[in-house]
Amino acid sequence: MGIKYIPEPFRIKMVETIKILTREEREEKIAEAKYNLFNLRGEDVYIDLLTDSGTNAMSQEQWAGVMKGDEAYAGASSYFKLVEAAQDVFGYKYIQPVHQGRAAEKVLFGLLMGVGKYSISNMHFDTTRAHVELAGARAIDCVVPEAGDPAKRVPFKGNMDVEKLESLIKEYGADNIGLVIMTITNNSAGGQPVSVQNVRETSEVCKKYGIKFCIDAARYAENAFFIKEREVGYENTSIKDIIKEVFSYADMFTMSAKKDTIVNMGGLLGIKDDEELYQACKGRTISYEGFVTYGGLSGRDLECLAIGLYEGLDENYLRYRIGQLEYLAARLDEAGIAYQAPVGGHGVFVDAKSMFPHIPYNEFPGQALAIELYKEAGIRSCDIGSYMLGNDPDTGEQLKAKFEFTRLAVPRRVYTQAHIDVMADALIAIKERASEVKGYKITWEPPILRHFQASLAPIEE
Ligand code: F0G
């Protein structure tokens, strides 16, 4: 066994019973769901790895915070507690709560982007790209080339390609770049980290051309832990100091707080010192989200978020959290199962193309593996490949994705080593009969974001 499982740095005080259906029952459920895992009822899932977003287990301190939440419409004490905590952690003057990450994108991007503008990012998350486009602009991804090779193990596979960034700025014209966005960790590349050096170099390029620099901060703490483990010179720096340094290079951040702050709902918008921009964001928050001191959240949500901001920095917790993924990855290594390596912070992205070389991209290997995982062990995961990518908006033709991944995203503080072993065992069992697994065809699809709603059917010879 390559790696030891790091025991949970907590004990369990409240439990939620989960149902285990038989294989026959699962086969019926997934057929009824038209082979779309989003159509399954949560209660029919044994281990739910659809996302690590909003699926976290809160601590006793956070649950106590639920009771203490101040529900005043304006000026709630929970709001001030949250703002002070976020100012302390990120070092920014202005903090605006919103209901989730995409709400921060909606509030901010409309102010900085419009027709003819571009956003350049190491990789845009789907909703980030959508809000760039809704604001009239275009999104360009600029990740380092190593990210495209699942087998290539490099420490910071989520980095921006800084040279390419500069050439893109020259090509499109600095005045037309609305924003440069650094996504930490880089979710779309497999939860891969970004180094301090890369954030600093990106910020230098932005400064040189007078372009605003934003961090998409959903997994800021996991990213800081990778820096501590992997970047020379940071071995003895605290997680909090690493985060401060990373954020010191940017002008603003948008954050889905449903990830590293270990809550079920919430988001933040941070602005370092630009008062005019903050004023404009406040106005848009009131229109879209609610008054500035609650931003679409309940007082109890603000309270839990303030507590979670600190809990997410705990090194014992982060070591266990990342260790869980590394343990799972080591079991896959042993079995010869390929994934985006080294494993990222919030999930394992299994290389379904390599598991099912006989299934072409337009028969959706990533989705086929997700369906097999449900049938095999009641595990719900999702396709990050051609099925998710969809059709060319102009020609209607199926696009071919760069990767065919199946993402097993692990919620925080929810599953134990035994559950992780169920995941590994299920993948190993599927690999043993991989050549028998068939592809899928789409029998109905909506025009946009089809993977949430489409119906599929297995391809029978
Ligand atoms: N940015 C990143 C990097 C994300 O991973 C997400 C959400 C968002 C923004 C949007 O935040 O959901 O709070 O509105 N990612 C989830 C996922 C949904 O499953 O990866 P949100």
Side-chain angles (χ1 to χ4, degrees):
M1 184 68 239
I3 206 166
K4 204 175 165 301
Y5 184 88
I6 295 172
E8 284 76 11
F10 52 79
R11 56 186 174 187
I12 296 164
K13 187 174 267 185
M14 187 161 68
V15 297
E16 183 184 349
T17 302
I18 41 182
K19 205 160 69 177
I20 310 180
L21 301 178
T22 62
R23 192 183 169 101
E24 290 67 37
E25 286 169 327
R26 289 196 295 266
E27 283 184 355
E28 244 169 65
K29 296 284 181 194
I30 194 69
E32 277 168 27
K34 306 260 198 298
Y35 299 95
N36 183 335
L37 294 121
F38 288 91
N39 288 338
L40 288 171
R41 286 182 181 227
E43 63 181 14
D44 294 331
V45 173
Y46 175 50
I47 300 179
D48 204 343
L49 308 177
L50 194 60
T51 179
D52 63 318
S53 181
T55 51
N56 307 303
M58 293 207 295
S59 65
Q60 59 181 355
E61 286 73 22
Q62 287 175 304
W63 279 106
V66 168
M67 300 309 296
K68 284 192 190 161
D70 179 353
E71 305 298 342
Y73 187 97
S77 62
S78 303
Y79 163 76
F80 292 107
K81 183 169 173 177
L82 171 61
V83 169
E84 277 158 30
Q87 285 169 334
D88 176 39
V89 171
F90 302 109
Y92 284 18
K93 191 164 175 194
Y94 304 113
I95 299 294
Q96 176 60 60
V98 290
H99 87 275
Q100 63 182 84
R102 66 199 72 181
E105 293 161 0
K106 181 178 178 184
V107 166
L108 183 67
F109 292 177
L111 293 165
L112 301 173
M113 268 172 288
V115 177
K117 297 262 186 197
Y118 295 87
S119 157
I120 307 176
S121 174
N122 54 340
M123 279 184 98
H124 295 84
F125 178 68
D126 322 14
T127 63
T128 320
R129 176 177 291 274
H131 279 289
V132 167
E133 290 174 0
L134 284 166
R138 288 287 169 267
I140 306 171
D141 287 341
C142 185
V143 70
V144 289
E146 301 91 275
D149 180 358
K152 185 155 189 188
R153 290 175 193 246
V154 297
F156 292 101
K157 224 172 173 178
N159 277 355
M160 182 84 78
D161 183 337
V162 180
E163 244 173 70
K164 186 174 165 199
L165 170 67
E166 191 157 4
S167 74
L168 285 169
I169 293 171
K170 286 183 184 151
E171 185 183 338
Y172 290 95
D175 291 346
N176 296 323
I177 312 299
L179 212 50
V180 167
I181 302 172
M182 187 70 96
T183 309
I184 62 170
T185 56
N186 188 331
N187 183 3
S188 310
Q192 294 294 321
V194 174
S195 68
V196 176
Q197 186 188 342
N198 189 253
V199 178
R200 188 174 55 238
E201 287 173 2
T202 301
S203 93
E204 282 161 8
V205 172
C206 291
K207 283 207 179 74
K208 180 171 165 191
Y209 291 94
I211 298 167
K212 289 195 169 19
F213 183 27
C214 178
I215 294 179
D216 178 350
R219 299 176 181 87
Y220 64 97
E222 290 169 6
N223 197 71
F225 187 78
F226 281 119
I227 289 167
K228 188 169 173 109
E229 295 274 285
R230 296 180 186 174
E231 191 161 355
V232 177
Y234 289 89
E235 310 76 2
N236 300 315
T237 314
S238 72
I239 295 296
K240 200 173 166 200
D241 286 345
I242 293 172
I243 291 168
K244 271 256 168 64
E245 180 173 352
V246 165
F247 281 73
S248 75
Y249 298 122
D251 303 301
M252 62 196 83
F253 69 83
T254 55
M255 187 175 116
S256 169
K258 300 170 72 171
K259 282 86 169 171
D260 277 6
T261 48
I262 331 181
V263 291
N264 304 116
M265 189 50 79
L268 289 177
L269 179 56
I271 296 168
K272 195 199 262 165
D273 51 19
D274 184 340
E275 195 190 341
E276 205 180 313
L277 182 63
Y278 173 55
Q279 287 302 340
C281 286
K282 282 207 284 191
R284 286 170 67 88
T285 300
I286 295 171
S287 315
Y288 292 134
E289 291 288 284
F291 187 60
V292 283
T293 66
Y294 72 87
L297 295 168
S298 303
R300 61 184 83 102
D301 296 327
L302 302 169
E303 189 77 24
C304 297
L305 188 42
I307 298 165
L309 271 173
Y310 289 113
E311 287 186 3
L313 309 183
D314 175 6
E315 256 173 63
N316 286 331
Y317 151 73
L318 285 168
R319 188 166 298 111
Y320 138 81
R321 160 79 178 152
I322 304 294
Q324 227 178 13
L325 272 304
E326 285 173 348
Y327 170 83
L328 175 57
R331 287 216 50 202
L332 301 189
D333 286 338
E334 237 173 33
I337 294 174
Y339 56 93
Q340 175 67 305
V343 74
H346 67 289
V348 57
F349 290 56
V350 179
D351 186 351
K353 200 192 315 194
S354 124
M355 176 140 3
F356 303 134
H358 58 288
I359 303 181
Y361 75 96
N362 56 1
E363 295 177 12
F364 316 123
Q367 179 68 7
L369 178 54
I371 292 164
E372 284 311 305
L373 273 167
Y374 180 71
K375 289 202 259 178
E376 180 70 33
I379 294 169
R380 175 154 68 171
S381 56
C382 71
D383 171 281
I384 307 263
S386 297
Y387 170 60
M388 183 175 118
L389 189 63
N391 299 320
D392 185 307
D394 298 319
T395 65
E397 232 169 273
Q398 172 65 49
L399 293 166
K400 184 171 193 248
K402 204 183 215 176
F403 305 110
E404 301 296 343
F405 285 140
T406 303
R407 182 180 83 166
L408 285 70
V410 180
R412 294 167 186 76
R413 304 192 292 209
V414 171
Y415 294 115
T416 64
Q417 179 174 12
H419 292 118
I420 301 277
D421 280 326
V422 172
M423 300 169 203
D425 292 343
L427 283 164
I428 293 164
I430 295 165
K431 182 174 189 252
E432 276 161 16
R433 54 177 174 78
S435 63
E436 296 159 25
V437 174
K438 298 204 174 85
Y440 285 78
K441 62 180 180 219
I442 291 179
T443 56
W444 175 82
E445 62 186 306
I448 51 162
L449 291 172
R450 71 158 182 216
H451 59 290
F452 291 114
Q453 298 188 72
S455 307
L456 299 104
I459 295 175
E460 309 292 353
E461 246 58 53

